[in-house]
Amino acid sequence: MEIIQQEFGRIGEQAVTSFTLKNANGIEITAINYGCIITKIITPDQNGNFENIVIGHDSLKDYVEDPVFLGAVVGRVGGRIRGGAFELDGKAYTLPQNNGRNHLHGGLQGFNKVVWQADILVDGVRFTYLSKDGEEGYPGSLHSSVTYTLDDHDQLKISYEARTDKKTVVTLTNHSYFNLSGSLKRDVLQHILTIKSDEFLELDEESIPTGRMLSVDHTPFDLRQGASIDIGAKASHPQIVLAGEGYDHPFVLNTNNDREIRLEDPESGRVMTVETDEPAVVVYSGNSLDGAGPFSGTPGAKHLGICLETQAFPDAVHHPEFPSVVLTPDKKYSSVTKYTFEIQ
């Protein structure tokens, strides 16, 4: 394993460093210690052309100003929290309302907008951060770590861990936008997505789960046998319309660590499988990317990338029937997601 470290930019007097992991097959993963952002994933297509398969920027300034959580780890809580508020043991906590009246992806200064400590490992890099009690309104001092490792089986593993000194809430995820065409040659509408999921969470008009789990049968959410992302053919479904002409929905996973998510671009031949121990994956089809960018010279465009956010259910703090996101001082938060890159 080759690991290349270099300065990516500065925030005031604080240096931000990039770390490039390169395996024996030429696959490269580059991440920076600002927001644990993955800036590049370089993989070959069926003709042996190595290209970047995530949306990224060339400069730190662009990431600092980025409004769409590009490539970052989001937290303390990934997804939306209704009303920017919740209660724990009868005590009310108020969070920034950075998505309409709701709280999204950790707030105004979430994990995606801070500089993490970085330590190089034999096969990767570990980022650590102390989120102090009261940061963005959350209770408890939370010690978090995010570790990226790459092996010669072309597998990227992201391991999340956290401990708290006071009861709090946490669910972390990575917000990379994938585009397997390579170097953003086209959008992702012709990508094929397969998910082992019989149910998805219904969303309300603010993209908050209503609490209802709906069957995927006979809907655009039935991806069990694989289907193109092509929104045009699905645009009439109320949930697709509500989410901004696309997916922004949590899929309830039937199984874990069983190649339960598969993304394929038939034209390039690239395939990515995702395995996780989380109960859900939030599929976001880049419905508002036309309002962002440019990305390394490529103009922003709707459906230019797709996020596969493995995590607990959004707004779980308001739904006792959902798997809990509460973390207590006697427990450790731990989650692992693995991405395997292949050629069809």
Side-chain angles (χ1 to χ4, degrees), residues 35-309:
C36 304
I37 292 170
I38 294 176
T39 63
K40 293 179 182 178
I41 298 179
I42 307 294
T43 71
D45 66 7
Q46 59 195 357
N47 298 315
N49 300 309
F50 283 79
E51 298 170 301
N52 190 10
I53 61 166
V54 292
I55 301 179
H57 289 303
D58 294 325
S59 75
L60 178 59
K61 178 177 181 291
D62 287 334
Y63 281 113
V64 170
E65 296 175 354
D66 168 64
V68 293
F69 306 93
L70 205 67
V73 164
V74 294
R76 294 183 190 192
V77 172
R80 293 174 176 84
I81 295 178
R82 180 184 299 278
F86 66 94
E87 286 189 5
L88 275 182
D89 294 337
K91 184 175 180 179
Y93 295 94
T94 301
L95 313 175
Q97 296 176 335
N98 61 319
N99 183 249
R101 70 183 192 95
N102 303 308
H103 179 82
L104 175 66
H105 290 331
L108 299 170
Q109 193 74 16
F111 284 7
N112 62 305
K113 294 293 185 184
V114 297
V115 178
W116 295 57
Q117 173 67 38
D119 296 290
I120 294 178
L121 310 176
V122 173
D123 56 352
V125 59
R126 177 178 294 120
F127 300 111
T128 54
Y129 177 67
L130 171 60
S131 174
K132 295 182 180 179
D133 185 21
E135 185 173 290
E136 294 297 283
Y138 289 100
S141 291
L142 189 75
H143 291 262
S144 301
S145 72
V146 178
T147 304
Y148 297 146
T149 58
L150 176 66
D151 64 23
D152 287 336
H153 299 291
D154 301 337
Q155 185 178 90
L156 164 66
K157 183 167 73 172
I158 305 182
S159 303
Y160 308 90
E161 292 186 351
R163 286 191 178 275
T164 184
D165 63 358
K166 184 188 299 184
K167 184 181 282 192
T168 190
V169 289
V170 60
T171 178
L172 307 180
T173 190
N174 179 272
H175 208 277
S176 287
Y177 290 80
F178 295 96
N179 183 322
L180 303 187
S181 72
S183 302
L184 303 181
K185 287 193 292 294
R186 53 191 176 273
D187 63 31
V188 299
L189 292 179
Q190 299 311 309
H191 282 33
I192 306 298
L193 180 60
T194 307
I195 304 179
K196 297 177 181 179
S197 171
D198 295 335
E199 296 178 309
F200 70 101
L201 298 190
E202 181 185 56
L203 302 181
D204 68 13
E205 66 283 352
E206 295 180 282
S207 294
I208 303 283
T210 64
R212 295 180 64 203
M213 296 186 190
L214 303 182
S215 170
V216 302
D217 289 346
H218 311 298
T219 75
F221 298 87
D222 189 353
L223 304 175
R224 291 170 293 190
Q225 301 302 316
S228 71
I229 296 165
D230 189 6
I231 302 302
K234 310 171 182 180
S236 62
H237 191 282
Q239 284 286 301
I240 295 289
V241 173
L242 180 149
E245 299 176 352
Y247 295 108
D248 193 9
H249 294 76
F251 286 72
V252 181
L253 295 173
N254 295 348
T255 184
N256 292 113
N257 298 312
D258 186 31
R259 298 174 71 87
E260 57 268 28
I261 306 161
R262 185 180 192 271
L263 185 67
E264 174 191 352
D265 175 38
E267 188 168 336
S268 72
R270 290 185 177 96
V271 176
M272 181 180 74
T273 58
V274 185
E275 300 173 285
T276 186
D277 52 12
E278 291 285 6
V281 58
V282 176
V283 176
Y284 175 55
S285 55
N287 311 331
S288 61
L289 286 178
D290 49 344
F295 306 108
S296 300
T298 300
K302 206 176 185 72
H303 312 308
L304 188 61
I306 183 167
C307 298
L308 302 169
E309 305 162 55

